[in-house]
């Protein structure tokens, strides 16, 4: 049976004023456009089409709230790092994201990184900002099926070194289903308020 049998889409938000009321616990999912974030959300929640798997990177400009269980929500943040995003789009992204640390219900961040690219500058910025907000951070090195075992192990080691203490890292593939259970377990820990 699915770990999240009652998962449902709640709402899309383009403006801070539209955020749902603060209660319970929330975990945000973030990552560069095309990092595999939507596929990871779908695989972890065992819903094929909960988050839209994009053909055009950078198209999702809204924050999407999903309810995993009563009082437990997942926030799908818009992808970043899209080269063609124009200034207005970036301003909107920043405004939405900057409102998040003040949100008491938000306690964790899942950061999705394409394992072939590794953790980039914007990912580091987001992690530092999450740490400052006091959130737990978990990194998914996504699309691990794209690398052989040796390169995967190297990428994992480099990512762990970059993250330092307190941030958990794992390899993940929505396609061959590597690491789905550990990711679900970590998400449930974050949503239930226990530490790693
Ligand atoms: P998002 O833009 O970060 O939400 O990424 P998507 O989930 O939309 O995926 C971007 C592209 O990467 C799509 O073409 C997906 O099919 C592909 N992709 C996503 N996850 C995996 C994976 O685990 N393995 C492989 N090989 N490709 C993936």
């Amino acid at each position: 049976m699915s770990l999240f049998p009652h998962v449902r889409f709640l709402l899309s938000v383009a403006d801070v004023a539209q955020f749902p009321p603060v209660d319970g616990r929330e975990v945000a999912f973030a990552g560069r456009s095309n990092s595999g974030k939507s596929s990871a959300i779908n695989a972890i929640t065992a819903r094929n089409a909960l988050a839209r798997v994009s053909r055009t990177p950078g198209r999702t400009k809204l924050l999407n709230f999903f309810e995993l269980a009563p009082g437990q929500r997942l926030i799908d943040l818009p992808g970043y790092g899209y080269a063609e995003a124009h200034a207005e789009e970036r301003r909107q992204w920043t405004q939405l994201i900057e409102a998040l640390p003040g949100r008491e219900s938000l306690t964790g961040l899942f950061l999705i990184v394409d394992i072939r690219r590794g953790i980039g500058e914007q990912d580091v910025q987001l992690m530092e900002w999450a740490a400052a907000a006091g959130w737990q951070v978990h990194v998914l090195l996504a699309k691990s099926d794209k690398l052989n075992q040796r390169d995967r192990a190297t990428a994992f080691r480099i990512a762990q070194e970059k993250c330092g203490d307190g941030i958990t890292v794992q390899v993940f593939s929505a396609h061959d289903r590597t690491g789905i259970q550990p990711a679900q377990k970590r998400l449930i820990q974050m949503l239930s308020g226990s530490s790693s």
Side-chain angles (χ1 to χ4, degrees), residues 51-114:
R52 198 169 56 86
V53 175
S54 54
R55 291 229 178 82
T56 314
R59 284 283 292 277
T60 339
K61 294 170 205 155
L62 301 169
L63 257 88
N64 293 307
F65 284 79
F66 300 96
E67 185 180 76
L68 299 177
Q72 297 188 336
R73 287 178 301 278
L74 183 160
I75 310 177
D76 182 9
L77 303 185
Y80 49 86
Y82 187 46
E84 286 169 36
H86 57 70
E88 173 56 22
E89 215 168 288
R90 280 202 217 109
R91 195 195 55 78
Q92 210 184 9
W93 192 91
T94 309
Q95 197 189 34
L96 279 170
I97 301 303
E98 281 178 353
L100 292 173
R103 202 170 157 78
E104 274 171 37
S105 43
L106 185 47
T107 55
L109 173 73
F110 261 56
L111 181 65
I112 321 303
V113 173
D114 186 323

Side-chain angles (χ1 to χ4, degrees), residues 30-43 51-60 76-77 79-80 112 114 116 141-147 172-178:
R32 281 183 72 94
S33 299
N34 210 35
S35 61
K37 175 167 57 71
S38 306
S39 303
I41 292 173
N42 290 336
R52 198 169 56 86
V53 175
S54 54
R55 291 229 178 82
T56 314
R59 284 283 292 277
T60 339
D76 182 9
L77 303 185
Y80 49 86
I112 321 303
D114 186 323
R116 297 166 298 177
L141 299 175
K143 309 191 195 179
S144 66
D145 58 285
K146 295 264 194 189
L147 293 184
F172 184 90
S173 165
H175 280 200
D176 72 10
R177 307 189 58 76
T178 297

Side-chain angles (χ1 to χ4, degrees), residues 141-191:
L141 299 175
K143 309 191 195 179
S144 66
D145 58 285
K146 295 264 194 189
L147 293 184
N148 63 34
Q149 210 169 347
R150 209 178 97 177
D151 292 345
R152 218 179 290 164
T154 305
F156 178 68
R157 188 176 42 75
I158 293 171
Q160 265 194 321
E161 280 167 9
K162 248 190 182 163
C163 289
D165 293 339
I167 293 179
T168 47
V169 184
Q170 66 158 108
V171 293
F172 184 90
S173 165
H175 280 200
D176 72 10
R177 307 189 58 76
T178 297
I180 290 179
Q181 279 182 3
Q184 288 171 328
K185 200 173 150 201
R186 192 74 182 95
L187 178 60
I188 289 168
Q189 275 176 349
M190 285 184 182
L191 288 168

